[in-house]
Structures are given as C-alpha cells and as structure tokens.
Amino acid sequence: AGGIASSLLRRFGVADRYLRAALPSIKDPAQLAAAYYHLGFVNYKLAETGERGRVPEALRFNELCSAIKSTYQEQALKNIAAIKSDYNLGR
C-alpha cells in the first residue's frame, strides 16, 4: 500500500522503490495489475521530469498491466498508445 499511496501523493521516486520491492510478494492478479499500473504511471511521470531512461520502464509496466484482466486494463492500453505517441516509439 505504501507504493500506491506514494504514487497518489505524487512521490514518484519513493513509489517506484516501494512498488518494485513489493512485486515479488504480490500473488493476487488484481493487486499485481494495480502495482504494474502505478509503476507505469510513476515511471512515466519521472520520464516527464527529465529521466528519459524511465520511458521503456513506463511502457513495460503498462504492457504487463494490460495483460491482466482488471479495472486498470483499459487505461493501461490507452497509456501504451500515449507513451508511444509522446516519445515517437512507433507501433
């Protein structure tokens, strides 16, 4: 919960560390989708602040999220398209 809370509080670096640390212990698909979604979000936001190396991570986590049937799936698909468009990554 610390990672998602940090994401919602716009503490992106902290959220990234907490969520990555939690990933190995998450077994529930809905919780995993939430973690992937927020990792995609915080890495995108960090990329926007100048950490361009975060773009592939943002894309990867959104792709992982979009592969899980969840309430985050549709938004993750939209995020993938937006990231590819924003950073000229093609299709």
Side-chain angles (χ1 to χ4, degrees):
I4 291 174
S6 295
S7 173
L8 296 172
L9 292 170
R10 304 183 71 77
R11 297 177 62 214
F12 303 126
V14 172
D16 183 64
R17 287 191 299 279
Y18 283 166
L19 289 164
R20 285 178 193 264
L23 277 180
S25 64
I26 300 173
K27 304 299 182 228
D28 177 67
Q31 290 178 345
L32 193 57
Y36 286 150
Y37 176 81
H38 282 278
L39 275 164
F41 174 73
V42 301
N43 278 276
Y44 180 79
K45 289 299 190 180
L46 289 166
E48 282 188 327
T49 67
E51 294 185 44
R52 294 282 299 215
R54 298 286 188 150
V55 174
E57 290 288 274
L59 190 57
R60 181 173 72 91
F61 285 122
N62 274 288
E63 288 170 342
L64 289 167
C65 178
S66 72
I68 300 171
K69 186 163 179 53
S70 74
T71 57
Y72 294 97
Q73 189 175 35
E74 185 178 332
Q75 186 59 52
L77 289 167
K78 291 177 184 174
N79 292 350
I80 291 166
I83 292 167
K84 287 181 176 182
S85 173
D86 291 352
Y87 291 96
N88 285 324
L89 299 178
R91 299 278 168 220

